[in-house]
């Protein structure tokens, strides 16, 4: 009985492998795995990413923030706080902010809409609404511009105080 099972398993393996080219050893297994992976995960060109053999544009604008994060410290509940981030275009061509998105609906960015000339400054104002929030907060704002890389991230943080703590007993 054992021999019949062993013979059946051997024949089954031989039948499954007869359509494949004989690949032996680690190289053969790795080549098969790589081919299968390449077929399952085709390469997609992303126009927002500089390829390995493409040099970055030396004349591109460069967004240099004076500070990349700001700590509000303690924030009163149910209030709105603002901070203005300043940046300088240290590149060689005009900088244009396409969009700025916050990691949460409670955070609203607004920015310089006109192109920022090389050497000139621009502003990114970030407002945080503490309504319904409590405790430590940390919110990111992703700034998309015609820079390389095209997204620069700034951060606000703080501590929203407990609404009940400010009420007298």
């Amino acid at each position: 009985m054992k021999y019949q099972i062993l013979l059946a398993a051997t024949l089954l393996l031989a039948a499954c492998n007869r359509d494949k080219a004989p690949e032996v050893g680690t190289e053969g297994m790795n080549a098969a795995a790589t081919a299968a992976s390449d077929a399952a995960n085709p390469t997609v060109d992303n126009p927002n990413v500089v390829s390995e053999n493409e040099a970055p544009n030396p004349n591109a604008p460069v967004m240099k923030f004076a500070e990349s994060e700001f700590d509000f410290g303690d924030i009163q509940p149910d209030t709105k706080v603002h901070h203005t981030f300043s940046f300088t275009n240290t590149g060689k061509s005009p900088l244009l902010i396409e969009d700025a998105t916050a990691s949460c609906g409670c955070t609203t960015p607004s920015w310089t809409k006109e192109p920022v000339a090389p050497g000139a400054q621009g502003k990114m104002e970030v407002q945080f609404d503490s309504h319904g929030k409590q405790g430590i907060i940390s919110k990111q704002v992703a700034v998309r511009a015609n820079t390389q890389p095209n997204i620069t991230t700034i951060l606000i943080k703080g501590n929203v105080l407990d609404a009940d703590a400010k009420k007298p007993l």
Side-chain angles (χ1 to χ4, degrees), residues 58-156:
N59 296 320
V62 177
M63 181 182 287
K64 177 76 173 152
F65 278 95
E67 58 184 345
S68 61
E69 70 177 55
F70 180 77
D71 189 344
F72 287 108
D74 288 340
I75 302 169
Q76 293 298 320
D78 300 326
T79 61
K80 293 180 182 178
V81 292
H82 307 261
H83 179 71
T84 301
F85 290 88
S86 295
F87 64 88
T88 304
N89 177 3
T90 61
K92 297 180 180 177
S93 60
L95 185 151
L96 183 61
I97 297 175
E98 298 170 23
D99 192 20
T101 54
S103 59
C104 174
C106 59
T107 305
T108 310
S110 60
W111 59 91
T112 303
K113 303 294 185 195
E114 60 275 350
V116 179
Q121 289 191 335
K123 297 185 183 302
M124 172 71 58
E125 183 176 322
V126 179
Q127 174 183 288
F128 171 73
D129 184 352
S130 68
H131 181 78
K133 306 289 185 213
Q134 182 179 336
I136 302 295
I137 59 106
S138 178
K139 307 296 178 186
Q140 291 185 340
V141 176
V143 182
R144 181 183 306 274
N146 61 337
T147 56
Q148 291 179 345
N150 69 333
I151 295 180
T152 303
T153 303
I154 54 177
L155 177 79
I156 59 167

Side-chain angles (χ1 to χ4, degrees), residues 3-18:
Y3 295 112
Q4 289 173 337
I5 293 173
L6 182 60
L7 179 61
T10 304
L11 289 173
L12 182 60
L13 284 174
C16 290
N17 289 329
R18 73 175 174 196

